[in-house]
Amino acid sequence: MSDLIRDMFQLVRPEDIRVLQSDDETGAPKQKMGFFTDTTLCIGCKACEVACKQWNQLPSDGFNFTGHSYDNTQHLSESTWRHVAFVEQVDATRDRTGSRWLMMSDVCKHCEQAPCQEACPTGSIIYNEFGDVYVQPDICNGCGYCVVACPFGVLGRSEEDGHVHKCTLCYDRQRDGMTPACAKACPTDSIQFGPLDLLREKAQERVKTLQERGDTQAYLYGDEAIGDYSPLQAFFLLTDHPNTYNLPEAPKRPAKGMTARYLFSLATGAALTALAALFFADGERG
Amino acid sequence: MNRPDDLNAAAPLEGGITRPDNGREHIRRPIDETFPRNYYDVPMLKPPVWTWEIASYFFLGGLSGGSFALARMADRFGGKTMADVRRIGTLVAFSAFLPCPALLIADLGDRKRFHYMLRVFKPKSPMNFGAWVLSLFGGVLTIAVLKEWLLGRARGKKGRIFSVLSFGTDLLSDFAGVPLGLLLAGYTGVLLSTTATPIWARNRWLGPLFSAGAISSGAAAIGLAEAAMSGKRRRSGRPLRRVEMASRVAEAAALGGFLLEAGRLAKPLTHGKYAAHLWVGAVGLGLALPTLLSALPGRFEKSHRWLKIGSAAASLAGVFALRWAITQAGTPSANDPQAARDVSRPAH
Amino acid sequence: MGSNMAEAHPVGFRWPMKAKEKGAKLIHVDPRFTRTSAVADVFVGIRAGTDIAFLGGMINYVLTHERWFKEYVLAYTNASTLIDPQFGDTEDLAGKFSGYQEEEHLYKSDEGHWAYQHPDGPDVETNGSTQHKHKSGKHGVHGHAIEGGASTHATKRSKATEEPGGQPPRDETLQDPNCVLQLLRKHFARYTPEMVAEICGCTAEQVVEVAELLCANSGRERTSSICYAVGWTQHTTGVEIIRAASILQLLLGNIGRPGGGIMALRGHASIQGSTDIPTLYDTLPGYLPQPVADENHEKLDDYCSYEGLPTGYWVNFKKFAVSLLKAWYGNEAQAENDYRFAWIPRIDDDYSQLPYFNKMAKGEVTGYFLFGQNPGGGGPNAKLHRAGLRSLEWLVVSDWFETESACFWKHDPTGPPASEIKTEVFFIPAASIPCKEGSFTNTQRLLQWHDKALDPAGDCRSDAWFVYNLGKRLKALYKDSIDPRDAPLLNLTWDYDYDESPRLPDGTVSTIEGEPDVEKILKEVNGWHIGQTDPKTGKPKLLGGFSDCKDDGSTACGCWIYSGVFPEHDRNRARERKLTANRVQPDWGFAWPHNRRMMYNRASADPEGRPWSERKKYIWWDEAQRKWIGLDEPDFEPDKAPGYRPTPESKGMDAIGGADPFIMKPDGRAWLFAPGGTKDGPFPTHYEPAESPISNRLYREQVSPTVRYFEGPLNPIANTPEHDYPVVACTFRLTEHYLSGCMSRFNSWLNELQPAMFVELSHELAAEKGIEHGGWLVVESPRGAIEARAMVTGRLRPMVIAGQTIHQIGVPFHWGYAGETAGSIANDLTSLVADSNVSMHEGKVFACRVFAGRLGDGSDRPSVPIAPWPTRELTPETGPSAQPEGLMRSA
């Protein structure tokens, strides 16, 4: 009963970061686990996309020949939780040596301060004990608010069951001490899984190595805050502008300034109500 | 490597992309500028999954909250002239409120889980906040309506208990119901603005716009109800029309603010499929026409009740059209990759 | 080169990517810019079918600039060997070698004098032909000839010889114009960077860049590796392309050395195993040749002396042959009855796929079994293949799904209606990979066992079950026959029943009746000592390796090269997965032969037995222990000292010196000049593909003169050089689908990744033909026409070849009419044309023309509905994987 009440009245603190619970006796908090996706190692094989589909038994998105290079699934959705993007930068009029074919395995960013989690009205979306953003499928009622809250367009609502689904960072596999399906399937270790701080270290070294090697366009996206948007727990090494990969250059946290907006809204209503009171009183007198 | 300090100290890499630096980004173009930074025009964001129920709810909820606030002000400050307004306003508020929960539930992906909305109290989420506001307001409104009904039935025998209850109810209505009603009116605008959809994202004018619209639609609805009930001229007419006018001014200002702040992100609304809804419906019918009609000298007071009804209906239609257009325009906005790119520029 | 490794072998490609991170340079040479090119350091685009020109350019560069690894080449190749001066090169004979027989379209190497000089001098007639086996030439027997059947030492050993050790005459100064190196120089003299650029459509700078990189990365301290796949093999000059790579790698000293070599990236369906065991008609297990129906193969001893060699490792030929016969016929095979050698079927014709289907299409075949093969979609000139299937009386198809070959009678939009087809088709559902156990053999000759995880569903059965039970039933059917023709079947050893009911990993008993114990089969393949019992188990003592094979009937061995995989009854080495500090990982699986991970690894040490460098040490001679030691099993006699030199009388392995790494060759040397073993010449030569719009810039001979054609109305070939079909097409694969789509186009998760048949073409060609990106186009070859979606991309570009603009297109071959997604069959365009060595087709390059529009022939109508979304049923419990989680993650 107290659980029910606690669940019913789950007061969420302003920072909205749950203390990572641990289930061993030491009480030490669990580590935050995440993804580092290094696009310079991606060979566009889509093993990640298929491994994820298979592990999570997701339906296909339909068969559409898009002509968008080798990308026929186009974006993340409720039924595609890993999606490989392809950008051909091959100009036939130029020397082939300058050609690139960018390949990138996109995934839910598991933002450290996730707008979807902030938006979720039922408390379905939580940060689990690994620090990852998780949609509890037995609570989601399909209101669809997280869908529009996400600045990356990750979440989608399923027409089959009416609930929202997205990458769980293989929460079930993690709980059994296993690697997420996509990371396990990736043949070139483009997708790396592990403790977030370790991944960030590795990523920074990797960028340094690449830059020294002459790949001056390599940089990290999301390992640190982007403007006032929180760091991403699934972050990337990219070699071109984020928009090229259909990522926002500087994503915005929707809830920023919300309180002020509430106040402005309330003030408007209150002012008009007060004015009404005035007019009514005046009317009474006049 | 690449810490903000280093970034400022070292020369930016030639032609490369340096990392954003807490607001002072130096994102440079890649070496090759001939390749477009556009992923095949595939949308970056997802469109809202909401359909007609939501726009309708925005309208009815606002109307309910607005009319209730006016009903309470009429009760407190309006004296005998506005006595009817209290009663009619409360009933209008209640009628408008009744479909709201059903509309919201119908729009859910999993309707049987509607009550999960109240599973937690999470004011950080406008939708959760709104669910509580709606529920609590509904409760207060029901009590207020019950009181009206009882008041209507029990003539004469109004004992002490009744007056205590009545006093308590009015207190509840004024200090809980009105704020809740106003919140109900405006929170939906805040809800839309707390998203990533370019036309709405972080726009501070949506809440005020909806709040103002709630008051104006509330006043129009009360006026319409009064006119429909009997054509006779009422003393409450003019104050209500003044309230309407004031709130239309506020609406217009908020709409202007909204369009200015959204800039070219508002294109799906101003130029696209919903341009007619906006200009003809919201602005024309909702703002211009009633204003014009109310500018008719004096005679308006004596004019045919159908004119009053028409004017109120136009006003209501306009408010509804605005909510419809703004809500529906979210879809083309989210589906426009250029808008998504623009709304996520560093300086935006 | 000749491979799109990142797309076709993505898991194996993990290793080149790791190497790249450690500083290796990846070079990709290909007609298309692919996902492999995207991660390569250097990409060179070449015209399809010009690989020999390019490799020849590399060889030319290496020789011209003297960048070859001199000590290696001198000691370990036949560079210094003198060739019969009557040999005529393509430089002398306008594109042909000497010995060409105009009428038969083949070479007779004895008449061509493709031979080492006689030890008694250049004027002595070399006796015995290097190609004597193929005198009849009617059929292109293949397979064995490559490895060791041919004999260069058919030259009678003269007792009086000037050279020590009975070796052929050599010029160690490499100046004699008849020495192999000089002949090589001469042969490739005109393959300059400029000429190569002209033929291939790249630039001379690119040719030099690649050559320089290879040279700089070869030698004592560094080695370079070449990987290829069907981009090289599927040509009428396929074998010669690989020969060219061998020559290049030998000149650079990259064979038998760590980080070097030539890797044939084999297919995932254990194609390596299917050539080892094999499923080829003309080889017996372990690359022993299938006997031919002639007097040379009548008796076992004739066969052994004809096919074996007096020197080199093939001297043991008879041991392997007898052990094989004992494995197959058990006690029936005895010395008195020639070990029942007469029971082995003899080849009387060419039964390889291409000529066979040609016969089938003419109605000459009655029935056919297809196991996991789809000639209806995957066969070159698939229309001809389907015509063949239609003319059968009966066809058995065992597969996971009703493939093009299984449902041709009802779904082929290009074929006649079902009412006109008389073939009776039996579809046998096959078990999928986790539902059966067995071994895979990969590129590296590595056998890895995989266990069965669960029983197959319903009536699905493994191929082993099918063949085993078919054999049992046939034996039962013929059990009372006294016809001598049936004796081989009745006496075939065929006892592979489980001793105890087999259990699944979760402990439950398998419910499949009649499944053979595949480990028993592997044990037979490994072999055992007849009459010797292993005291621990009471079962026959298993062989420790092929060196245990005997020719007196006391051993049985099902495949000598695999022997050693099962040395004890409880030790299946193919199942072992032990990782050690030795980076060669000798305890992971079992590599044939004898767990030698790298063949010819004697070459990793210099003639004195010392590693060429500390960095590249692999095996070396330990004087104290008097044996070869190191990271791997020596592919050499373990105790043969480097200084050992044979005498003229030496036979067998004794004829191989201590500094002769290439023990399968009779002279112990690697062959830059191949006096035997190839039917189209001792040196690789650039010829144009069978269909090409370009004339051969190097020789008068347009196409390789030994290419086999199959005349017939279903197989017209374009004239060459061709102008009616001016576009060069090459077929290719995508990661997302597999082969002709039999397994992948019935899976929604794969279909959504690549849902439609498309063709890749350049912007220029698209503009010329008015083809819109994403729209439809038609490709037409002399064999037929297909439609496809257009993928207009900058990754293909036109090339200027000898002043002519040549367009190339890429055609993926994954689609057909069977599946959730359907599309035109790429192989309806390819032709039936074969190289002379291995009867390989030329699917990788052919001529066509392209135009906008559709055929509208219904080829995109799927044969099955989209499978319903997988349910949320719990998957059956299976035991934890033997491979611990995260094992491969550690770099």
Side-chain angles (χ1 to χ4, degrees):
Chain A
M1 186 61 189
S2 62
D3 283 343
L4 178 67
I5 293 174
R6 196 189 63 210
D7 276 347
M8 285 262 317
F9 295 101
Q10 187 189 78
L11 279 164
V12 184
R13 297 179 299 168
E15 293 80 23
D16 239 279
I17 307 292
R18 220 167 97 158
V19 172
L20 297 174
Q21 293 161 358
S22 109
D23 37 36
D24 64 28
E25 315 78 48
T26 67
K30 281 213 162 97
Q31 281 177 311
K32 282 197 196 177
M33 305 296 275
F35 280 137
F36 165 44
T37 303
D38 180 351
T39 62
T40 60
L41 295 175
C42 181
I43 56 173
C45 71
K46 306 180 192 173
C48 52
E49 212 168 321
V50 179
C52 173
K53 290 253 175 177
Q54 190 277 328
W55 177 256
N56 296 294
Q57 295 286 289
L58 302 174
S60 88
D61 288 355
F63 305 154
N64 306 301
F65 179 79
T66 62
H68 297 164
S69 190
Y70 282 178
D71 178 5
N72 292 302
T73 48
Q74 300 198 71
H75 37 49
L76 295 170
S77 68
E78 67 277 9
S79 51
T80 294
W81 301 353
R82 266 278 175 193
H83 158 251
V84 184
F86 292 82
V87 181
E88 291 182 32
Q89 294 179 340
V90 177
D91 186 340
T93 63
R94 289 163 52 212
D95 190 288
R96 181 54 48 78
T97 54
S99 297
R100 296 199 300 180
W101 197 356
L102 307 179
M103 299 172 209
M104 174 245 201
S105 176
D106 196 11
V107 72
C108 166
K109 317 303 180 282
H110 291 273
C111 310
E112 219 169 72
Q113 189 176 30
C116 62
Q117 195 280 340
E118 293 186 318
C120 178
T122 59
S124 166
I125 303 184
I126 57 166
Y127 302 99
N128 64 20
E129 64 267 36
F130 301 107
D132 304 320
V133 181
Y134 179 65
V135 180
Q136 299 175 82
D138 52 346
I139 296 174
C140 172
N141 63 10
C143 76
Y145 197 35
C146 56
V147 174
V148 286
C150 178
F152 302 96
V154 166
L155 302 109
R157 188 173 77 180
S158 161
E159 277 171 24
E160 285 306 309
D161 63 6
H163 304 144
V164 160
H165 303 282
K166 72 167 189 71
C167 164
T168 62
L169 231 156
C170 275
Y171 185 29
D172 49 354
R173 289 177 67 97
Q174 281 200 61
R175 288 186 69 144
D176 285 347
M178 293 160 77
T179 312
C182 56
K184 172 138 194 205
C186 178
T188 55
D189 293 340
S190 170
I191 300 175
Q192 294 167 41
F193 163 77
L196 203 53
D197 43 10
L198 199 65
L199 288 178
R200 284 172 177 158
E201 252 177 64
K202 278 179 80 174
Q204 274 152 18
E205 269 171 48
R206 174 71 179 161
V207 172
K208 190 145 164 256
T209 307
L210 285 171
Q211 303 229 337
E212 281 163 10
R213 217 159 80 174
D215 294 344
T216 53
Q217 296 191 325
Y219 70 103
L220 294 175
Y221 178 84
D223 70 321
E224 285 189 355
I226 305 172
D228 58 9
Y229 196 86
S230 77
L232 311 175
Q233 292 176 149
F235 63 98
F236 300 84
L237 192 155
L238 304 175
T239 57
D240 204 325
H241 193 280
N243 287 168
T244 307
Y245 302 89
N246 221 12
L247 292 171
E249 188 177 340
K252 303 284 185 287
R253 177 175 159 251
K256 180 173 174 198
M258 185 182 73
T259 314
R261 295 199 290 275
Y262 265 124
L263 289 173
F264 191 17
S265 170
L266 200 58
T268 309
L272 288 171
T273 306
L275 209 57
L278 212 65
F279 291 152
F280 290 170
D282 215 34
E284 170 70 356
R285 274 195 304 279
Chain B
M1 165 77 191
N2 279 351
R3 298 261 171 261
D5 299 325
D6 296 343
L7 208 59
N8 292 329
L13 298 162
E14 188 53 52
I17 296 175
T18 57
R19 286 170 56 256
D21 162 38
N22 291 332
R24 290 166 295 154
E25 290 91 352
H26 308 281
I27 303 265
R28 285 166 176 263
R29 300 184 74 84
I31 294 170
D32 189 308
E33 300 196 2
T34 62
F35 299 115
R37 281 198 236 141
N38 165 8
Y39 194 73
Y40 311 106
D41 280 335
V42 169
M44 192 190 282
L45 303 168
K46 292 272 185 299
V49 297
W50 307 318
T51 46
W52 64 271
E53 290 94 340
I54 293 301
S56 309
Y57 161 73
F58 286 359
F59 172 68
L60 289 172
L63 204 164
S64 177
S67 56
F68 189 71
L70 292 175
R72 294 314 311 153
M73 291 303 111
D75 189 32
R76 283 288 173 197
F77 300 96
K80 280 215 164 52
T81 0
M82 309 295 290
D84 278 345
V85 172
R86 185 207 78 236
R87 190 168 53 85
I88 292 169
T90 307
L91 287 171
V92 163
F94 189 69
S95 315
F97 181 88
L98 276 176
C100 288
L103 285 169
L104 287 179
I105 292 170
D107 189 66
L108 289 176
D110 189 349
R111 292 174 186 163
K112 62 185 187 309
R113 291 183 182 177
F114 72 93
H115 57 100
Y116 287 17
M117 285 302 200
L118 301 179
R119 199 181 148 267
V120 297
F121 178 63
K122 189 178 164 188
K124 164 79 53 96
S125 161
M127 192 172 281
N128 177 274
F129 183 65
W132 282 105
V133 163
L134 184 75
S135 306
L136 292 172
F137 179 67
V140 172
L141 193 55
T142 307
I143 292 170
V145 163
L146 272 172
K147 182 210 146 187
E148 289 299 322
W149 179 70
L150 285 172
L151 199 69
R153 287 209 22 196
R155 296 173 187 284
K157 306 190 253 176
K158 295 168 203 173
R160 271 197 81 111
I161 299 171
F162 182 79
S163 44
V164 167
L165 282 175
S166 177
F167 178 74
T169 310
D170 287 348
L171 214 62
L172 189 69
S173 292
D174 291 338
F175 290 98
V178 170
L180 284 169
L182 290 179
L183 282 172
L184 181 65
Y187 94 90
T188 48
V190 178
L191 183 145
L192 288 182
S193 69
T194 310
T195 62
T197 309
I199 191 175
W200 305 329
R202 306 216 280 202
N203 194 312
R204 73 190 75 137
W205 297 96
L206 278 169
L209 180 60
F210 283 18
S211 291
I215 303 291
S216 88
S217 62
I222 294 172
L224 178 64
E226 283 193 328
M229 277 162 45
S230 77
K232 76 168 198 258
R233 182 183 145 198
R234 290 164 186 266
R235 302 246 316 269
S236 58
R238 195 160 163 269
L240 275 174
R241 281 196 302 279
R242 288 176 80 189
V243 170
E244 268 198 68
M245 190 67 224
S247 43
R248 275 204 296 272
V249 167
E251 261 196 283
L255 182 61
F258 166 73
L259 292 174
L260 271 172
E261 184 170 322
R264 66 173 178 276
L265 297 174
K267 249 185 110 180
L269 183 63
T270 55
H271 289 75
K273 196 169 148 189
Y274 303 103
H277 292 80
L278 177 72
W279 300 117
V280 175
V283 176
L285 279 179
L287 296 175
L289 185 60
T291 307
L292 276 172
L293 288 176
S294 70
L296 290 176
R299 261 181 263 138
F300 192 61
E301 298 267 21
K302 309 184 186 89
S303 60
H304 202 276
R305 83 200 253 225
W306 291 110
L307 209 58
K308 287 191 212 158
I309 291 173
S311 171
S315 199
L316 288 170
V319 172
F320 178 75
L322 185 64
R323 268 134 198 71
W324 180 262
I326 288 178
T327 314
Q328 297 298 107
T331 297
S333 176
N335 284 335
D336 178 5
Q338 186 57 49
R341 287 193 287 274
D342 289 340
V343 86
S344 58
R345 290 272 162 259
H348 186 87
Chain C
M1 212 172 152
S3 129
N4 183 6
M5 195 177 178
E7 295 198 47
H9 292 86
V11 179
F13 196 68
R14 172 185 179 76
W15 308 115
M17 289 296 278
K18 294 278 178 213
K20 186 176 157 192
E21 291 314 310
K22 294 196 172 144
K25 288 268 176 291
L26 299 186
I27 304 169
H28 190 227
V29 180
D30 201 275
R32 299 164 48 238
F33 187 96
T34 67
R35 284 178 269 201
T36 306
S37 327
V39 292
D41 296 290
V42 175
F43 168 74
V44 180
I46 59 168
R47 179 166 62 97
T50 60
D51 304 77
I52 294 181
F54 194 87
L55 291 168
M58 300 291 110
I59 295 170
N60 171 294
Y61 186 90
V62 167
L63 291 173
T64 306
H65 298 275
E66 305 286 335
R67 302 290 289 275
W68 41 291
F69 188 167
K70 299 198 170 49
E71 299 95 318
Y72 181 103
V73 172
L74 256 178
Y76 296 156
T77 72
N78 65 359
S80 57
T81 307
L82 299 178
I83 303 298
D84 188 327
Q86 292 183 72
F87 163 73
D89 185 69
T90 49
E91 289 300 284
D92 310 315
L93 301 172
K96 289 199 176 83
F97 293 101
S98 49
Y100 188 67
Q101 312 299 310
E102 286 296 336
E103 262 141 45
E104 292 120 300
H105 291 288
L106 47 78
Y107 286 105
K108 287 200 175 142
S109 54
D110 53 343
E111 293 180 27
H113 300 277
W114 304 0
Y116 291 172
Q117 279 183 25
H118 197 278
D120 295 339
D123 298 320
V124 177
E125 210 27 61
T126 53
N127 204 347
S129 130
T130 57
Q131 298 273 300
H132 58 275
K133 276 175 285 309
H134 313 297
K135 259 187 182 95
S136 55
K138 255 202 309 207
H139 43 83
V141 291
H142 61 84
H144 66 280
I146 311 298
E147 206 17 66
S151 159
T152 58
H153 274 239
T155 59
K156 291 260 185 338
R157 289 184 169 285
S158 166
K159 298 220 167 49
T161 172
E162 281 124 31
E163 293 279 348
Q167 298 289 314
R170 295 189 174 122
D171 173 16
E172 303 285 340
T173 66
L174 303 172
Q175 295 309 306
D176 189 322
N178 288 312
C179 82
V180 165
L181 196 77
Q182 292 304 335
L183 290 174
L184 192 68
R185 267 197 220 276
K186 172 170 143 192
H187 182 83
F188 286 109
R190 290 185 297 129
Y191 289 65
T192 59
E194 292 71 28
M195 174 57 84
V196 170
E198 209 182 294
I199 296 172
C200 297
C202 59
T203 66
E205 289 73 34
Q206 287 174 312
V207 177
V208 170
E209 183 187 5
V210 175
E212 255 309 312
L213 275 170
L214 285 172
C215 291
N217 203 62
S218 306
R220 281 181 181 262
E221 293 290 331
R222 310 198 73 87
T223 51
S224 301
S225 172
I226 296 182
C227 299
Y228 74 91
V230 295
W232 268 3
T233 60
Q234 291 180 352
H235 289 276
T236 47
T237 53
V239 169
E240 293 301 333
I241 299 175
I242 298 154
R243 272 277 297 143
S246 316
I247 292 172
L248 178 62
Q249 288 292 65
L250 286 167
L251 288 175
L252 293 173
N254 281 327
I255 302 281
R257 301 188 57 211
I262 301 177
M263 304 277 272
L265 302 173
R266 313 239 40 194
H268 297 77
S270 199
I271 193 90
Q272 178 65 49
S274 87
T275 49
D276 295 337
I277 288 296
T279 58
L280 302 172
Y281 83 101
D282 62 343
T283 35
L284 293 171
Y287 299 101
L288 304 178
Q290 190 92 16
V292 175
D294 68 13
E295 67 280 356
N296 290 315
H297 299 83
E298 225 176 283
K299 292 267 183 267
L300 181 63
D301 284 332
D302 297 330
Y303 166 70
C304 293
S305 69
Y306 189 82
E307 298 290 356
L309 288 174
T311 57
Y313 205 75
W314 277 118
V315 73
N316 297 303
F317 193 96
K318 187 170 178 188
K319 298 179 189 170
F320 308 141
V322 171
S323 301
L324 178 68
L325 292 165
K326 291 297 288 182
W328 285 7
Y329 300 116
N331 276 332
E332 254 304 306
Q334 296 294 337
E336 301 77 55
N337 56 32
D338 215 19
Y339 295 103
R340 292 297 184 195
F341 178 63
W343 283 355
I344 303 281
R346 301 305 200 254
I347 305 177
D348 63 354
D349 203 340
D350 187 344
Y351 293 105
S352 59
Q353 181 177 343
L354 272 54
Y356 198 70
F357 265 87
N358 202 32
K359 283 203 223 315
M360 205 193 280
K362 294 183 188 147
E364 293 171 32
V365 182
T366 310
Y368 207 63
F369 283 88
L370 277 178
F371 290 96
Q373 180 91 354
N374 186 26
N381 197 340
K383 276 199 179 139
L384 185 149
H385 279 76
R386 294 199 294 280
L389 295 177
R390 282 198 293 274
S391 61
L392 294 168
E393 274 179 35
W394 56 266
L395 172 69
V396 175
V397 179
S398 176
D399 215 309
W400 295 359
F401 303 102
E402 281 194 68
T403 64
E404 282 75 16
S405 303
C407 67
F408 67 89
W409 56 274
K410 52 179 174 173
H411 280 304
D412 181 0
T414 68
S419 51
E420 292 174 29
I421 300 173
K422 306 277 191 296
T423 318
E424 188 175 3
V425 179
F426 299 85
F427 184 75
I428 311 284
S432 58
I433 297 165
C435 300
K436 52 188 179 179
E437 63 173 352
S439 66
F440 275 94
T441 312
N442 74 3
T443 289
Q444 199 196 325
R445 294 163 283 104
L446 184 70
L447 274 76
Q448 293 178 98
W449 194 258
H450 72 96
D451 288 326
K452 174 173 165 175
L454 70 170
D455 278 337
D459 288 334
C460 295
R461 293 290 181 273
S462 65
D463 301 326
W465 182 97
F466 187 89
V467 173
Y468 182 49
N469 285 285
L470 179 67
K472 275 185 170 174
R473 291 187 193 202
L474 286 171
K475 277 169 168 279
L477 195 64
Y478 286 91
K479 73 175 190 319
D480 295 323
S481 169
I482 50 164
D483 188 340
R485 202 173 73 158
D486 299 327
L489 172 67
L490 294 174
N491 288 287
L492 203 56
T493 59
W494 202 248
D495 170 28
Y496 307 109
D497 287 335
Y498 276 96
D499 295 328
E500 295 165 1
S501 301
R503 284 184 183 275
L504 299 172
D506 63 358
T508 58
V509 176
S510 164
T511 57
I512 305 295
E513 301 264 340
E515 189 79 37
D517 183 351
V518 184
E519 276 198 322
K520 279 193 177 176
I521 300 175
L522 190 64
K523 284 180 189 173
E524 182 182 296
V525 162
N526 179 83
W528 55 70
H529 295 277
I530 294 168
Q532 282 187 48
T533 319
D534 172 10
K536 269 197 298 192
T537 59
K539 297 185 191 156
K541 186 158 184 288
L542 295 166
L543 298 185
F546 53 73
S547 38
D548 288 350
C549 287
K550 305 263 185 297
D551 60 5
D552 59 3
S554 63
T555 56
C557 177
C559 180
W560 70 275
I561 52 176
Y562 278 24
S563 189
V565 67
F566 223 131
E568 284 134 50
H569 282 281
D570 56 0
R571 189 175 176 209
N572 178 351
R573 292 184 74 176
R575 208 200 230 122
E576 285 171 4
R577 297 287 185 273
K578 277 190 279 207
L579 288 178
T580 66
N582 181 351
R583 62 187 163 87
V584 168
Q585 299 307 348
D587 298 322
W588 183 290
F590 174 84
W592 69 261
H594 216 282
N595 208 28
R596 294 169 197 175
R597 301 288 158 141
M598 189 193 308
M599 287 173 79
Y600 307 127
N601 55 27
R602 166 69 183 87
S604 65
D606 66 16
E608 284 75 45
R610 297 171 309 227
W612 291 106
S613 68
E614 184 61 26
R615 193 168 176 275
K616 288 287 173 179
K617 69 181 193 188
Y618 196 73
I619 65 161
W620 53 90
W621 175 253
D622 185 301
E623 193 52 51
Q625 299 179 66
R626 300 288 302 168
K627 68 178 199 188
W628 292 93
I629 60 170
L631 301 174
D632 192 5
E633 286 258 347
D635 189 22
F636 208 61
E637 283 173 284
D639 49 6
K640 178 175 277 176
Y644 168 80
R645 293 287 173 274
T647 67
E649 289 78 29
S650 302
K651 294 241 182 310
M653 282 305 285
D654 290 341
I656 301 291
D660 293 337
F662 295 90
I663 58 174
M664 302 307 285
K665 290 279 172 284
D667 53 351
R669 301 282 181 109
W671 289 356
L672 296 173
F673 177 97
T678 54
K679 297 208 184 69
D680 45 5
F683 283 137
T685 310
H686 169 71
Y687 295 108
E688 287 291 318
E691 289 187 342
S692 167
I694 299 288
S695 329
N696 193 339
R697 312 285 305 142
L698 280 167
Y699 313 97
R700 209 162 57 206
E701 283 301 306
Q702 173 74 3
V703 179
S704 172
T706 57
V707 166
R708 300 169 58 208
Y709 296 92
F710 301 89
E711 307 286 331
L714 289 174
N715 195 36
I717 306 284
N719 294 319
T720 181
E722 174 53 49
H723 303 294
D724 286 341
Y725 296 93
V727 175
V728 173
C730 79
T731 53
F732 72 94
R733 295 162 200 244
L734 297 160
T735 318
E736 296 87 335
H737 280 298
Y738 191 61
L739 298 179
S740 55
C742 300
M743 293 194 275
S744 57
R745 278 184 302 101
F746 289 84
N747 182 316
S748 304
W749 295 326
L750 296 174
N751 276 323
E752 64 170 333
L753 300 177
Q754 291 287 7
M757 171 61 177
F758 64 93
V759 163
E760 296 193 338
L761 65 161
S762 65
H763 292 281
E764 291 82 354
L765 180 60
E768 204 181 289
K769 298 290 175 185
I771 293 168
E772 269 178 37
H773 175 66
W776 286 91
L777 56 77
V778 173
V779 183
E780 207 176 43
S781 83
R783 271 76 52 194
I786 64 165
E787 62 173 19
R789 303 294 291 275
M791 175 75 81
V792 179
T793 168
R795 293 181 290 104
L796 266 75
R797 63 185 173 89
M799 297 174 166
V800 179
I801 314 276
Q804 237 180 300
T805 300
I806 295 296
H807 290 290
Q808 294 197 109
I809 62 169
V811 185
F813 88 111
H814 300 298
W815 274 272
Y817 47 80
E820 282 180 358
T821 64
S824 288
I825 298 178
N827 273 314
D828 281 1
L829 299 173
T830 54
S831 68
L832 211 63
V833 71
D835 97 307
S836 47
N837 292 300
V838 293
S839 199
M840 174 55 76
H841 62 86
E842 194 154 60
K844 280 295 163 186
V845 58
F846 56 94
C848 67
R849 50 182 177 233
V850 176
F851 45 91
R854 289 199 70 167
L855 293 176
D857 59 354
S859 55
D860 60 338
R861 200 181 316 122
S863 70
V864 294
I866 297 174
W869 178 18
T871 65
R872 297 202 182 276
E873 282 171 23
L874 293 173
T875 50
E877 290 293 308
T878 55
S881 160
Q883 185 169 314
E885 199 47 44
L887 185 66
M888 296 308 285
R889 294 298 113 193
S890 54

